mmCIF file of all heavy atoms in Angstrom:
data_model
loop_
_atom_site.group_PDB
_atom_site.id
_atom_site.type_symbol
_atom_site.label_atom_id
_atom_site.label_comp_id
_atom_site.label_asym_id
_atom_site.label_seq_id
_atom_site.Cartn_x
_atom_site.Cartn_y
_atom_site.Cartn_z
ATOM 1 N N ASN U 172 44.323 59.771 -63.212
ATOM 2 C CA ASN U 172 44.859 60.827 -62.383
ATOM 3 C C ASN U 172 44.150 62.121 -62.729
ATOM 4 O O ASN U 172 44.645 63.214 -62.621
ATOM 5 C CB ASN U 172 46.307 60.901 -62.666
ATOM 6 C CG ASN U 172 47.178 61.670 -61.654
ATOM 7 O OD1 ASN U 172 46.630 61.799 -60.467
ATOM 8 N ND2 ASN U 172 48.312 62.122 -61.977
ATOM 9 N N SER U 173 42.736 62.002 -63.003
ATOM 10 C CA SER U 173 42.071 63.118 -63.585
ATOM 11 C C SER U 173 41.538 64.182 -62.516
ATOM 12 O O SER U 173 40.998 63.747 -61.571
ATOM 13 C CB SER U 173 41.020 62.727 -64.272
ATOM 14 O OG SER U 173 40.032 63.756 -64.789
ATOM 15 N N PRO U 174 41.922 65.414 -62.822
ATOM 16 C CA PRO U 174 41.342 66.432 -61.869
ATOM 17 C C PRO U 174 39.898 66.909 -62.241
ATOM 18 O O PRO U 174 39.286 67.839 -61.815
ATOM 19 C CB PRO U 174 42.234 67.670 -61.938
ATOM 20 C CG PRO U 174 42.906 67.482 -63.359
ATOM 21 C CD PRO U 174 42.853 65.985 -63.746
ATOM 22 N N LEU U 175 39.386 66.178 -63.429
ATOM 23 C CA LEU U 175 38.111 66.525 -64.082
ATOM 24 C C LEU U 175 37.037 65.592 -63.943
ATOM 25 O O LEU U 175 36.147 65.739 -64.637
ATOM 26 C CB LEU U 175 38.402 66.924 -65.503
ATOM 27 C CG LEU U 175 39.351 68.041 -65.905
ATOM 28 C CD1 LEU U 175 39.686 68.062 -67.407
ATOM 29 C CD2 LEU U 175 38.943 69.319 -65.427
ATOM 30 N N THR U 176 37.232 64.498 -63.164
ATOM 31 C CA THR U 176 36.368 63.393 -63.165
ATOM 32 C C THR U 176 34.929 63.818 -62.927
ATOM 33 O O THR U 176 34.006 63.350 -63.660
ATOM 34 C CB THR U 176 36.826 62.352 -62.156
ATOM 35 O OG1 THR U 176 38.139 61.918 -62.341
ATOM 36 C CG2 THR U 176 35.868 61.115 -62.144
ATOM 37 N N ALA U 177 34.664 64.686 -61.920
ATOM 38 C CA ALA U 177 33.371 64.953 -61.617
ATOM 39 C C ALA U 177 32.602 65.691 -62.791
ATOM 40 O O ALA U 177 31.512 65.453 -63.321
ATOM 41 C CB ALA U 177 33.233 65.775 -60.262
ATOM 42 N N MET U 178 33.341 66.696 -63.370
ATOM 43 C CA MET U 178 32.822 67.447 -64.490
ATOM 44 C C MET U 178 32.689 66.653 -65.656
ATOM 45 O O MET U 178 31.694 66.779 -66.375
ATOM 46 C CB MET U 178 33.704 68.624 -64.766
ATOM 47 C CG MET U 178 33.617 69.765 -63.705
ATOM 48 S SD MET U 178 34.767 71.154 -63.880
ATOM 49 C CE MET U 178 33.658 72.482 -63.404
ATOM 50 N N ASN U 179 33.706 65.841 -66.002
ATOM 51 C CA ASN U 179 33.576 64.933 -67.190
ATOM 52 C C ASN U 179 32.528 64.085 -66.998
ATOM 53 O O ASN U 179 31.721 63.789 -68.073
ATOM 54 C CB ASN U 179 34.995 64.177 -67.442
ATOM 55 C CG ASN U 179 36.060 65.009 -68.036
ATOM 56 O OD1 ASN U 179 35.767 66.000 -68.700
ATOM 57 N ND2 ASN U 179 37.223 64.611 -67.782
ATOM 58 N N THR U 180 32.266 63.433 -65.852
ATOM 59 C CA THR U 180 31.131 62.491 -65.777
ATOM 60 C C THR U 180 29.824 63.207 -65.928
ATOM 61 O O THR U 180 28.904 62.666 -66.815
ATOM 62 C CB THR U 180 31.153 61.960 -64.365
ATOM 63 O OG1 THR U 180 32.475 61.388 -64.075
ATOM 64 C CG2 THR U 180 30.134 60.899 -64.178
ATOM 65 N N LEU U 181 29.606 64.385 -65.399
ATOM 66 C CA LEU U 181 28.447 65.050 -65.616
ATOM 67 C C LEU U 181 28.215 65.496 -67.046
ATOM 68 O O LEU U 181 27.183 65.169 -67.628
ATOM 69 C CB LEU U 181 28.456 66.364 -64.810
ATOM 70 C CG LEU U 181 27.230 67.248 -64.793
ATOM 71 C CD1 LEU U 181 25.925 66.421 -64.336
ATOM 72 C CD2 LEU U 181 27.333 68.428 -63.824
ATOM 73 N N VAL U 182 29.161 65.989 -67.698
ATOM 74 C CA VAL U 182 29.017 66.443 -69.152
ATOM 75 C C VAL U 182 28.757 65.167 -69.984
ATOM 76 O O VAL U 182 27.940 65.194 -70.841
ATOM 77 C CB VAL U 182 30.238 67.133 -69.679
ATOM 78 C CG1 VAL U 182 30.055 67.437 -71.173
ATOM 79 C CG2 VAL U 182 30.582 68.377 -68.821
ATOM 80 N N ARG U 183 29.509 64.112 -69.753
ATOM 81 C CA ARG U 183 29.191 62.815 -70.480
ATOM 82 C C ARG U 183 27.843 62.355 -70.256
ATOM 83 O O ARG U 183 27.105 61.941 -71.250
ATOM 84 C CB ARG U 183 30.222 61.736 -70.190
ATOM 85 C CG ARG U 183 30.251 60.554 -71.116
ATOM 86 C CD ARG U 183 31.285 59.534 -70.727
ATOM 87 N NE ARG U 183 31.098 59.010 -69.426
ATOM 88 C CZ ARG U 183 30.064 58.177 -69.036
ATOM 89 N NH1 ARG U 183 29.147 57.759 -69.939
ATOM 90 N NH2 ARG U 183 29.858 57.829 -67.743
ATOM 91 N N GLU U 184 27.439 62.369 -69.053
ATOM 92 C CA GLU U 184 26.017 61.884 -68.790
ATOM 93 C C GLU U 184 24.984 62.738 -69.493
ATOM 94 O O GLU U 184 23.870 62.227 -69.964
ATOM 95 C CB GLU U 184 25.802 61.622 -67.308
ATOM 96 C CG GLU U 184 26.597 60.516 -66.697
ATOM 97 C CD GLU U 184 26.419 60.215 -65.189
ATOM 98 O OE1 GLU U 184 25.635 61.014 -64.593
ATOM 99 O OE2 GLU U 184 27.042 59.256 -64.744
ATOM 100 N N ILE U 185 25.157 64.014 -69.406
ATOM 101 C CA ILE U 185 24.221 64.846 -70.067
ATOM 102 C C ILE U 185 24.171 64.583 -71.582
ATOM 103 O O ILE U 185 23.144 64.490 -72.212
ATOM 104 C CB ILE U 185 24.589 66.381 -69.903
ATOM 105 C CG1 ILE U 185 24.391 66.623 -68.333
ATOM 106 C CG2 ILE U 185 23.592 67.267 -70.647
ATOM 107 C CD1 ILE U 185 24.900 68.048 -68.017
ATOM 108 N N SER U 186 25.415 64.381 -72.226
ATOM 109 C CA SER U 186 25.416 64.106 -73.577
ATOM 110 C C SER U 186 24.665 62.771 -73.950
ATOM 111 O O SER U 186 23.958 62.766 -74.920
ATOM 112 C CB SER U 186 26.894 63.873 -74.076
ATOM 113 O OG SER U 186 27.617 64.967 -73.738
ATOM 114 N N VAL U 187 24.803 61.878 -73.135
ATOM 115 C CA VAL U 187 24.102 60.555 -73.224
ATOM 116 C C VAL U 187 22.623 60.815 -73.188
ATOM 117 O O VAL U 187 21.915 60.057 -73.966
ATOM 118 C CB VAL U 187 24.587 59.474 -72.241
ATOM 119 C CG1 VAL U 187 23.822 58.152 -72.299
ATOM 120 C CG2 VAL U 187 26.172 58.995 -72.526
ATOM 121 N N VAL U 188 22.153 61.575 -72.241
ATOM 122 C CA VAL U 188 20.707 61.819 -72.127
ATOM 123 C C VAL U 188 20.268 62.520 -73.447
ATOM 124 O O VAL U 188 19.216 62.111 -73.997
ATOM 125 C CB VAL U 188 20.406 62.600 -70.916
ATOM 126 C CG1 VAL U 188 18.968 63.103 -70.943
ATOM 127 C CG2 VAL U 188 20.680 61.871 -69.589
ATOM 128 N N VAL U 189 21.000 63.413 -73.956
ATOM 129 C CA VAL U 189 20.642 64.032 -75.222
ATOM 130 C C VAL U 189 20.562 62.890 -76.285
ATOM 131 O O VAL U 189 19.503 62.790 -77.003
ATOM 132 C CB VAL U 189 21.635 65.108 -75.648
ATOM 133 C CG1 VAL U 189 21.316 65.685 -77.051
ATOM 134 C CG2 VAL U 189 21.713 66.311 -74.688
ATOM 135 N N SER U 190 21.487 62.176 -76.392
ATOM 136 C CA SER U 190 21.544 61.007 -77.423
ATOM 137 C C SER U 190 20.261 60.173 -77.168
ATOM 138 O O SER U 190 19.646 59.847 -78.075
ATOM 139 C CB SER U 190 22.773 60.332 -77.311
ATOM 140 O OG SER U 190 22.793 59.088 -78.020
#
Side-chain angles (χ1 to χ4, degrees):
N172 202 14
S173 170
L175 301 172
T176 304
M178 287 175 141
N179 278 338
T180 303
L181 184 55
V182 176
R183 192 181 54 78
E184 290 182 355
I185 295 171
S186 307
V187 170
V188 172
V189 173
S190 167

